[in-house]
Amino acid sequence: MPWLASGSTAVREEPVSQPKPFAISKEVVWEAYLRVKANKGAAGVDGQSIEEFERDLKGNLYKLWNRMCSGSYFPPPVRMVEIPKPGGRGVRVLGVPTVADRVAQTVVKLYLEPKVEPVFHDSSYGYRPRKSALDAVEQCRWRCLKADWVIDLDIKAFFDTLPHALVIKAVRKHIDLKWILLYVQRWLEASMQREDGSLVARGSGSPQGSAISPLLANLFMHYAFDAWMQRECPRIWFERYCDDVVIHCASLKQAEYVQDRIVRRLKECGLEVHQDKTRIVYCRDGRRQGSHEHERFTYLGYEFRARGARGTDGAIFDGFLPAMSREAAKEVRQTIQSWHLGRRSGSTLGDLARSINAVVRGWINYYGRFYASALYRQLNMINVHLVRWAMQKYKRLRRRRLRAWGFLNGVAEREPGLFAHWPAGPRPGGRAMGAG
């Protein structure tokens, strides 16, 4: 940890002779910086990137540590970024803290997380060590085979409406370090800054995009929902990924009763259930032949509905199974289209592969876990665009689509790992060739 040594100009600017009211480990500050660096991320309101922060790393880390230890650290406003939701359904507001503020938040997270992690419910999956969204989807898949009904719960503007007093109460229950409570309170109350420089005061909520928000949200929901469900409805299964919740019930009557109780419980905790988006779903499949208004739902990018599947004995049956959702498939197609591969005739195939493979591997690792054929249908669009590239690149292939497919298939046979999606399944030959 090179910043532990003294001697930089920035260090001398900070008062060092005053006793520190709060004991914060320099080693933890260094670990927090390493995590922020690994996560990368955009600049905050000060426009400072991680690279710029590192130009005076020793001074910046010392300054942050010194101010946190003295209680004089005040977080700057959080940069407001609006991200359009899929399908034109409004925008999602993200908050981007400065690099230094992300380090400070990660320091608190490193102290707080070991205290609260052991008490979290097994069915809580979001932003937790050794748990993932795919774990939640897998558990949901298994439970949908056992229970006939699902409550697809939607909490209205969750991150914007978290009650600060209840969040602080939950934090105080697990840790008595005054500096952690002090800084959590300051982060909750920090304003957001729009692109035009105007500030938005916040009386509730915790902005998505900050390092500490997911942990605070999980801790709040542990008491508002998880622990309450365990106490009041101990036989009811659920999966929760932060504010994305699915509850499993044995009958429609039970689902209606449990949903009513959950709505009232969350209202007591300052949250509102989105009535138009929350719905009761019947898990209809080959062995459950009833009917209901809703027979499908989407959870963490996967759509659950009746699908054809092959059993261990080779027989085909209809199961209530997850596959890449229509919204996720549309986003993948739009991303592939935005690459304009067919127009990049000045690039080699190797250049194209290097520019897209990391994103494609991410899709395969996530959406290829369940019912992968739904993803492969989208990934074959990459092959279509590569054929267009070949027709633009080589005169002998212009206006000769079948010959271009044959060229691309030859490349895939010689270099099967060139593009990340080729080993996974959608190669430019056989059935895929006909798709062009």
Side-chain angles (χ1 to χ4, degrees):
M1 290 181 293
W3 76 284
L4 289 178
S6 62
S8 76
T9 302
V11 170
R12 290 194 295 271
E13 290 174 353
E14 295 292 315
V16 295
S17 59
Q18 298 296 323
K20 303 292 190 296
F22 303 131
I24 301 175
S25 167
K26 288 184 177 180
E27 286 80 3
V28 174
V29 176
W30 178 252
E31 174 62 24
Y33 152 71
L34 292 178
R35 295 194 181 196
V36 169
K37 178 180 174 66
N39 290 335
K40 302 179 181 179
V45 295
D46 60 358
Q48 185 182 52
S49 66
I50 293 177
E51 292 74 20
E52 290 169 330
F53 182 85
E54 290 176 329
R55 290 175 187 170
D56 186 15
L57 181 61
K58 178 164 52 173
N60 286 329
L61 290 181
Y62 184 89
K63 184 190 301 181
L64 179 64
W65 169 81
N66 195 41
R67 291 179 177 177
M68 291 187 74
C69 287
S70 66
S72 63
Y73 176 72
F74 287 88
V78 177
R79 183 165 69 90
M80 180 187 293
V81 179
E82 294 183 343
I83 306 296
K85 291 183 178 180
R89 296 181 286 109
V91 297
R92 176 179 292 107
V93 177
L94 300 182
V96 182
T98 64
V99 174
D101 200 36
R102 294 207 294 273
V103 175
Q105 291 186 26
T106 305
V107 168
V108 169
K109 179 182 176 183
L110 290 171
Y111 275 93
L112 181 59
E113 189 173 60
K115 300 288 186 182
V116 300
E117 176 63 27
V119 307
F120 284 160
H121 197 283
D122 285 344
S123 292
S124 168
Y125 293 90
Y127 309 107
R128 294 184 59 191
R130 297 175 297 282
K131 283 181 175 283
S132 70
L134 288 175
D135 294 334
V137 174
E138 169 63 32
Q139 188 70 285
C140 186
R141 183 191 70 84
W142 183 84
R143 287 170 172 170
C144 282
L145 298 177
K146 304 292 183 181
D148 294 350
W149 297 85
V150 155
I151 304 170
D152 180 16
L153 188 68
D154 188 283
I155 301 174
K156 194 172 183 179
F158 172 73
F159 277 95
D160 296 331
T161 57
L162 281 175
H164 290 174
L166 293 182
V167 173
I168 292 296
K169 182 179 179 180
V171 174
R172 186 178 288 114
K173 184 178 178 65
H174 293 277
I175 201 159
D176 58 0
L177 294 175
K178 292 183 179 180
W179 65 272
I180 287 183
L181 297 169
L182 173 69
Y183 292 129
V184 167
Q185 185 77 50
R186 289 179 182 175
W187 282 315
L188 290 173
E189 296 174 351
S191 58
M192 298 188 77
Q193 182 172 307
R194 295 190 179 99
E195 293 298 325
D196 62 5
S198 60
L199 298 179
V200 179
R202 294 207 325 269
S204 63
S206 181
Q208 289 179 272
S210 72
I212 195 67
S213 281
L215 182 60
L216 297 180
N218 262 344
L219 184 57
F220 175 87
M221 284 298 288
H222 172 75
Y223 289 106
F225 182 80
D226 303 354
W228 179 84
M229 284 288 291
Q230 191 170 23
R231 183 173 65 251
E232 300 293 329
C233 307
R235 293 178 175 270
I236 302 296
W237 290 329
F238 68 89
E239 295 84 38
R240 182 179 65 79
Y241 192 93
C242 203
D243 62 322
D244 290 322
V245 188
V246 169
I247 303 103
H248 304 267
C249 297
S251 67
L252 176 60
K253 183 177 180 180
Q254 184 185 59
E256 292 171 340
Y257 170 76
V258 171
Q259 178 177 315
D260 181 66
R261 292 204 62 188
I262 290 173
V263 169
R264 287 188 278 119
R265 168 59 180 175
L266 293 181
K267 186 175 182 180
E268 292 172 358
C269 297
L271 299 178
E272 181 182 355
V273 171
H274 203 304
Q275 296 292 348
D276 294 336
K277 295 182 180 180
T278 296
R279 59 192 61 186
I280 295 174
V281 179
Y282 178 54
C283 302
R284 188 178 187 275
D285 59 16
R287 65 180 179 82
R288 294 175 286 199
Q289 292 293 310
S291 63
H292 188 257
E293 178 185 5
H294 303 295
E295 295 178 353
R296 66 178 69 197
F297 69 94
T298 298
Y299 185 54
L300 300 177
Y302 276 89
E303 184 180 60
F304 286 73
R305 64 172 177 82
R307 303 178 189 277
R310 189 180 300 274
T312 55
D313 59 354
I316 303 296
F317 69 97
D318 277 346
F320 195 82
L321 300 170
M324 182 185 200
S325 71
R326 288 170 290 182
E327 294 82 0
K330 183 178 179 180
E331 287 186 27
V332 166
R333 291 195 300 272
Q334 289 176 339
T335 300
I336 293 172
Q337 188 74 30
S338 72
W339 291 335
H340 300 296
L341 298 177
R343 302 179 189 174
R344 294 160 63 177
S345 57
S347 301
T348 66
L349 280 176
D351 295 333
L352 300 182
R354 283 187 291 273
S355 69
I356 71 172
N357 275 351
V359 175
V360 175
R361 287 192 190 98
W363 291 337
I364 293 170
N365 291 339
Y366 190 77
Y367 294 113
R369 176 78 170 269
F370 305 101
Y371 220 87
S373 59
L375 169 64
Y376 295 162
R377 285 193 291 271
Q378 317 310 320
L379 294 185
N380 191 54
M381 288 300 300
I382 299 176
N383 295 332
V384 173
H385 285 275
L386 291 177
V387 164
R388 294 173 185 168
W389 169 88
M391 294 169 67
Q392 288 287 327
K393 180 81 170 178
Y394 301 109
K395 290 183 178 180
R396 70 180 188 276
L397 300 179
R398 289 178 185 172
R399 295 187 295 277
R400 297 185 177 184
R401 185 174 296 273
L402 288 178
R403 185 172 292 183
W405 275 107
F407 163 79
L408 194 63
N409 186 48
V411 175
E413 289 179 352
R414 293 191 302 274
E415 301 180 71
L418 179 60
F419 286 89
H421 65 290
W422 285 353
R427 296 265 299 272
R431 183 175 59 182
M433 181 181 276

